[in-house]
Amino acid sequence: NPYYWKSGFPRNDKLVFTFALTPGEIFKQFVAGKFSVAWDLVPADVERLLADRQYASRCLEIPRLCTYFAVFNSNRGLLANEEIRQKIVNSVDIEKLVRKNLGRLAIPAYGIIPPGLIGYQAKKLNRHRSTMTKPDKEEEITCILNPAFSGPYASVAKDLFIMLRQTGFSVRVINQKRNDYREFHELLEAAEADFALARWVGDYPDSDTFAGILNSKQKIAGKFCGSAEVDRLIAAGRTEPDPAVRNKIYSDMEQILEKQGRVLPLFHEQVFCFASGKVEGFELNFFSPIVAYEKISLHR
């Protein structure tokens, strides 16, 4: 690109991206020398590469500006009952779920806003404890899955469903094509399921991009969990210039979501990205694109 905005960049003549590969295929082709850069790997393959000095020395890690979460339909159906939502929220051991399935590839989430942004919750909030007892028979609740929970994070969904079953709730996934993002977003917009396992990757490095998905008119999460009270705080955070006041606004928002059991934050990704020995200028960004592609080149 001869008209690139920064002099001296990009340093490469051409980039070739390969799409629609599973994490296992990415790993195999990177090790075989077919890819110069690889990430989005499953925890076991990350550990294999880190155990090999050749690859460990060519690894960078960075928190990804994203949050994976469960959002409950607080406007219709069984989970319109706040006490039932709280029972579900309190049945999930987030630390155990993340430690067992993701290891160092993620950190437990205690709020919708990820690390590094105003309003981030670094520890558990005080949860309201439900006094409900386990029912004599299971209640079925319906779920829609972001394809990530059918692919690299399928084990997270599986263990989460086991925790819910132990509390008296069986989960029926209603996606017909679990790797189809279009179907997932159509189901999100319809907001007829009891809950969704979803994620949000920030469009820009500010808390507003995460708070905004909770607006009652937004199909990412707001049509499930939105409320006038949360909408008011989102609007206030967007227009407030004082960082300290914004931090209070977003903290208040997180506490409402927690207290009312509208959202169950699960984890924030920790990205491990590997480069081959020929790559020079290898750097990562805090937000997308993770790899600073304009800075890399291949040594020949």
Side-chain angles (χ1 to χ4, degrees), residues 18 56 67 88 104 107 132 157-158 206 224:
T18 304
T67 305
I88 290 175
R104 66 175 100 190
I107 62 172
M132 290 181 66
K158 179 182 177 181
D206 188 87
F224 277 77

Side-chain angles (χ1 to χ4, degrees), residues 38 61 65 161 163 208 211 220 285 293:
E61 65 175 293
L65 201 66
F161 295 165
M163 290 179 182
D208 178 69
I220 298 298
N285 295 317
Y293 292 111

Side-chain angles (χ1 to χ4, degrees), residues 69-82 84-92 94 127 141-144 160-161 164 169 171 188 191-198 214 220-227 257-258 260-266:
F69 57 95
V71 57
F72 302 110
N73 199 333
S74 54
N75 299 312
R76 62 183 296 178
L78 181 67
L79 301 190
N81 184 317
E82 182 178 323
I84 294 177
R85 295 198 306 271
Q86 281 292 349
K87 183 179 182 183
I88 290 175
V89 167
N90 291 327
S91 72
V92 180
I94 298 296
R127 289 181 174 174
I141 51 178
T142 56
C143 174
I144 56 177
L160 176 62
F161 295 165
L164 296 184
F169 300 95
V171 178
L188 266 184
E192 294 178 351
D194 291 311
F195 76 106
L197 289 185
L214 304 171
I220 298 298
K223 287 193 174 182
F224 277 77
C225 70
S227 70
L257 296 171
E258 173 81 2
Q260 298 178 357
R262 292 176 179 267
V263 175
L264 175 62
L266 297 174

Side-chain angles (χ1 to χ4, degrees), residues 4-5 18 23 79 82 89 136 145 154 192 222-223 234 250 297:
Y4 193 73
W5 67 276
T18 304
L79 301 190
E82 182 178 323
V89 167
D136 294 331
L145 293 180
E192 294 178 351
K223 287 193 174 182
I234 293 169
Y250 290 127
S297 59

Side-chain angles (χ1 to χ4, degrees), residues 1 15 18 34 58 99 106 138 156 224 242-243 254-255 275:
N1 183 355
L15 290 171
T18 304
K34 295 182 179 180
R58 300 288 296 165
R99 184 173 60 251
E138 290 182 347
V156 175
F224 277 77
D242 187 326
E254 295 279 23
Q255 290 190 41

Side-chain angles (χ1 to χ4, degrees), residues 107-139:
I107 62 172
Y110 305 117
I112 201 75
I113 297 172
L117 299 184
I118 288 173
Y120 167 63
Q121 304 294 320
K123 59 183 180 180
K124 291 181 182 178
L125 300 172
N126 292 323
R127 289 181 174 174
H128 166 70
R129 290 293 173 180
S130 172
T131 57
M132 290 181 66
T133 58
K134 185 174 180 178
D136 294 331
K137 64 177 183 178
E138 290 182 347
E139 293 269 14

Side-chain angles (χ1 to χ4, degrees), residues 37 58-60 273-275 279-284 291 295-296:
V37 177
R58 300 288 296 165
C59 175
L60 295 177
C273 188
F274 297 86
V279 173
E280 296 180 342
F282 181 42
E283 294 183 18
L284 301 183
V291 178
K295 296 181 180 179
I296 62 174

Side-chain angles (χ1 to χ4, degrees), residues 205-241:
D206 188 87
S207 306
D208 178 69
T209 185
F210 289 89
I213 67 172
L214 304 171
N215 183 283
S216 59
K217 296 180 181 180
Q218 292 295 325
K219 65 181 181 179
I220 298 298
K223 287 193 174 182
F224 277 77
C225 70
S227 70
E229 188 177 20
V230 171
D231 285 354
R232 179 184 62 80
L233 289 170
I234 293 169
R238 177 168 291 177
T239 57
E240 174 57 54

